[in-house]
Amino acid sequence: MTQHTNQFGQPVGAPLPEWQSRSWPAYETFTGHYCRLEPLSAERHGRELYAAYAQASDGRDWTYMFAEPFTDEEAYLAYASKIEQGRDPMHFAVIDLQTQRAVGTLALMRIDTTHGSIEIGHVAFSPLLKQTRMATEAHYLLMRYALEQLGYCRYEWKCDSCNQPSRQAALRLGFQFEGTFRQAIVYNGRSRDTCWFSIIDGEWPQLKQAFERWLAADNFNEDGTQRAKLQALR
């Protein structure tokens, strides 16, 4: 990285003379090859989402979430009604294009238009969505929206340091590990150390190319097995 200095000879960050605040994200619909993202609606998506989450054999998918496992459909509908159309976080439902049913949610959050930083969070993927092409594409669609269309310069991922699947997912998707904030949060009656990850705008072109090559139909065998891993395509 080129070293920049000020008039006193002190090292400073790279100049951004044309920087302007970024726009606030909008509740849009994003369509890919395998899934579609829609603004979360309790009325349209709630029952399908509850049924998708009910496919899990136990409540372990909610251990590291701020929400608790839902005991019945009405409890989930009440939760979805509470969070839909929020300004921050902004929740989106993931729709399986084959079945046209909602199979999970994720959200844009910690939105900082002044500094061009935004986080992906509240990732609640059902067994029908986890470890599928749809899951990767859902992340790709929101990354592309934030980093390319809106021009944000920093895209964050944070998780409980104990949540190994989330940490592995962040690295697979191309996030860089930045460190651990100790005792950063108290939630669900316990302390949480938080791992921070990020993607910055300069990394996006290479990551985008890898996502598109991985998501291409010819990267999968007839049985759906990937030919090349996402990490290998970066």
Side-chain angles (χ1 to χ4, degrees):
M1 181 179 295
T2 303
Q3 180 67 66
H4 299 275
T5 57
N6 65 9
Q7 67 270 35
F8 307 112
Q10 297 169 301
V12 295
L16 295 173
E18 298 180 359
W19 176 262
Q20 295 180 350
S21 295
R22 286 355 194 188
S23 299
W24 198 273
Y27 272 118
E28 298 185 18
T29 296
F30 308 96
T31 303
H33 298 297
Y34 311 109
C35 73
R36 180 175 66 252
L37 303 185
E38 297 179 354
L40 175 64
S41 164
E43 181 178 356
R44 293 198 312 273
H45 308 125
R47 288 180 172 80
E48 293 176 359
L49 286 167
Y50 178 75
Y53 295 136
Q55 298 289 316
S57 59
D58 56 36
R60 71 183 61 209
D61 289 343
W62 300 93
T63 297
Y64 303 111
M65 303 289 287
F66 286 93
E68 298 287 346
F70 299 95
T71 55
D72 53 46
E73 184 181 88
E74 291 307 311
Y76 182 75
L77 291 175
Y79 169 76
S81 295
K82 182 179 179 180
I83 65 173
E84 69 177 1
Q85 300 299 312
R87 181 168 169 80
D88 187 352
M90 298 174 63
H91 291 264
F92 293 84
V94 184
I95 313 300
D96 182 339
L97 289 183
Q98 288 193 328
T99 66
Q100 294 298 317
R101 296 180 67 85
V103 290
T105 64
L106 71 175
L108 294 173
M109 58 184 289
R110 289 173 57 94
I111 302 163
D112 185 340
T113 59
T114 300
H115 302 292
S117 177
I118 197 166
E119 180 181 341
I120 185 70
H122 293 281
V123 179
F125 287 178
S126 76
L128 301 177
L129 179 55
K130 292 166 64 175
Q131 299 182 334
T132 67
R133 280 179 266 184
M134 291 185 292
T136 298
E137 186 174 59
H139 281 294
Y140 163 73
L141 290 172
L142 283 187
M143 273 188 213
R144 185 178 65 181
Y145 176 57
L147 292 167
E148 187 171 313
Q149 186 171 337
L150 296 180
Y152 280 68
C153 63
R154 177 177 170 84
Y155 193 79
E156 297 179 333
W157 176 297
K158 302 184 185 73
C159 65
D160 191 313
S161 64
C162 297
N163 189 351
Q164 288 297 328
S166 183
R167 295 174 65 167
Q168 292 166 6
L171 295 174
R172 174 183 174 272
L173 292 169
F175 288 83
Q176 299 294 313
F177 176 64
E178 295 183 327
T180 301
F181 282 34
R182 299 179 300 163
Q183 297 183 6
I185 292 175
V186 176
Y187 77 142
N188 298 333
R190 60 180 186 266
S191 176
R192 176 177 120 167
D193 292 351
T194 298
C195 289
W196 284 53
F197 300 81
S198 74
I199 291 169
I200 56 176
D201 54 357
E203 297 164 345
W204 173 240
Q206 182 180 7
L207 293 175
K208 178 183 178 181
Q209 183 180 56
F211 275 115
E212 293 181 347
R213 290 173 63 190
W214 188 86
L215 290 165
D218 61 8
N219 187 44
F220 298 89
N221 296 324
E222 292 182 1
D223 63 359
T225 304
Q226 64 181 351
R227 298 180 189 275
K229 294 183 177 181
L230 181 58
Q231 301 95 311
L233 295 174
R234 289 201 287 271

